[in-house]
């Protein structure tokens, strides 16, 4: 019997499946809560191709919504999309124990508050994933590049839970950066997500290479990153100008990549528009900061959603 902590993944899509595989490799018991992919994973496990090797694994328990957990997990890792109408606090309630640490590996700004309010006695670890991975069919994931997590206690600091979990991820083969200011790191992640994800939808699911190589594309990305930086600075998280080119250079080094929002759009799924873009624009408006490029993209996405009946 392993003395390693038990892990439960809620939202075992591409991202949740990958990080579950890393923790499984580190020797943890890893279970999943699934909806549409329950039958495929129950029968065949989770299959993951990766530059790190074959990370395929059979979860220790495969649950459906409404099942009774065999045990309360030490760490519940929440990887669902942050979408309007999804009550994440209610989603994790059946699986939360009094000593369960709640881990968020999700995109967006100000996404922790509702969970911190619902579970004030459970430590919350907020994580940002820097990864290129996609689900190719039920229970099958292609991991293309990266995998690092930036991790910290919410709302700030680093505690023993962060240290324990980060070491498990390191043991499983990925890099971890612990941060005292995880909210500031969420702003830093928005420098990439806020431009690239929405533009990919407007451009019918364009990959990163298409976005950057199209005439004017790279300049548009620069302008949008600059606007995110202006809002972040107003919130108390200033960043150096060099991060603009670092984001563009880093993106050009990775294989052409259809990000998660592009894949959601192409497959008819809801997109994380407000968590990734709308919240940035709303914060900009509170500070009276002009963000014309971000606002134009946001309004265009809303027009597209209305036309397609997706709102």
């Amino acid at each position: 019997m392993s003395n390693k902590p038990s892990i439960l993944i809620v939202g075992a899509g591409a991202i949740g499946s990958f990080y579950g595989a890393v923790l499984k490799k580190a020797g943890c018991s890893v279970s999943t809560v699934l909806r549409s992919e329950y039958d495929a994973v129950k029968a065949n496990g989770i299959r993951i191709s990766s530059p790190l090797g074959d990370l395929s694994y059979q979860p220790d328990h495969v649950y459906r919504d409404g099942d009774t957990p065999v045990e309360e997990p030490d760490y519940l890792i929440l990887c669902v999309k942050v979408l309007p109408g999804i009550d994440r606090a209610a989603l994790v309630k059946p699986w939360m124990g009094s000593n369960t640490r709640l881990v968020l590996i999700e995109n967006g700004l100000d996404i922790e508050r509702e969970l911190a309010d619902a579970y004030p006695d459970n430590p919350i670890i907020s994580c940002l994933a820097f990864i290129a991975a996609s689900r190719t069919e039920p229970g099958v994931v292609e991991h293309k590049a990266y995998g690092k997590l930036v991790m910290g206690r919410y709302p700030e600091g680093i505690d023993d839970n962060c240290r324990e979990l980060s070491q498990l991820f390191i043991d499983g083969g990925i890099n971890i950066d612990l941060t005292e200011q995880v909210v500031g790191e969420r702003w830093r992640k928005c420098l990439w997500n806020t431009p690239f994800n929405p533009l990919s939808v407007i451009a019918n699911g364009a990959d990163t290479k298409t976005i950057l190589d199209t005439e004017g594309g790279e300049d548009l990305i620069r302008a949008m990153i600059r606007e995110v930086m202006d809002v972040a600075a107003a919130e108390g998280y200033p960043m150096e100008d060099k991060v603009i080119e670092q984001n563009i250079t880093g993106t050009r080094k990775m294989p052409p990549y259809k990000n998660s929002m592009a894949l959601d759009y192409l497959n008819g799924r809801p997109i994380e528009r407000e968590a990734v873009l709308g919240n940035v624009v709303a914060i900009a408006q509170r500070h009276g900061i002009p963000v014309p490029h971000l606002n134009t993209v946001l309004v265009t996405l809303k027009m597209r959603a209305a036309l397609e009946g997706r709102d």
Side-chain angles (χ1 to χ4, degrees), residues 209-246:
K209 186 176 190 301
T210 301
I211 291 170
L212 289 174
D213 284 354
T214 299
E215 184 177 356
E218 192 171 300
D219 288 341
L220 178 55
I221 290 289
R222 281 194 183 90
M224 293 176 72
I225 294 175
R226 168 63 65 188
E227 290 178 3
V228 176
M229 288 174 65
D230 290 345
V231 184
E235 282 283 286
Y237 301 102
M239 288 172 262
E240 297 180 22
D241 287 351
K242 66 182 181 182
V243 300
I244 298 176
E245 294 308 316
Q246 286 173 349

Side-chain angles (χ1 to χ4, degrees), residues 35 80-91 114 270-275 310-311:
R35 291 182 178 178
V80 299
K81 303 284 185 184
V82 182
L83 298 168
I86 293 184
D87 186 341
R88 292 176 299 142
L91 193 63
E114 67 180 88
I271 62 171
E272 296 176 296
R273 186 185 71 207
E274 298 307 312
R310 295 201 189 203
D311 260 1

Side-chain angles (χ1 to χ4, degrees), residues 273-300:
R273 186 185 71 207
E274 298 307 312
V276 170
L277 176 59
N279 289 353
V280 179
V281 173
I283 293 167
Q285 290 171 344
R286 285 209 305 267
H287 288 287
I289 295 170
V291 287
H293 297 86
L294 297 180
N295 193 58
T296 297
V297 171
L298 178 61
V299 172
T300 305

Side-chain angles (χ1 to χ4, degrees), residues 36-86:
S36 60
E37 302 195 7
Y38 176 88
D39 291 332
V41 172
K42 186 76 172 175
N44 303 311
I46 295 173
R47 290 170 285 165
I48 305 177
S49 60
S50 167
L52 302 176
D54 182 4
L55 297 179
S56 302
Y57 66 105
Q58 179 67 50
D60 290 83
H61 302 284
V62 181
Y63 298 113
R64 297 182 197 266
D65 288 335
D67 285 352
T68 301
V70 173
E71 61 179 355
E72 296 174 344
D74 295 312
Y75 291 93
L76 187 156
I77 301 181
L78 182 62
C79 297
V80 299
K81 303 284 185 184
V82 182
L83 298 168
I86 293 184

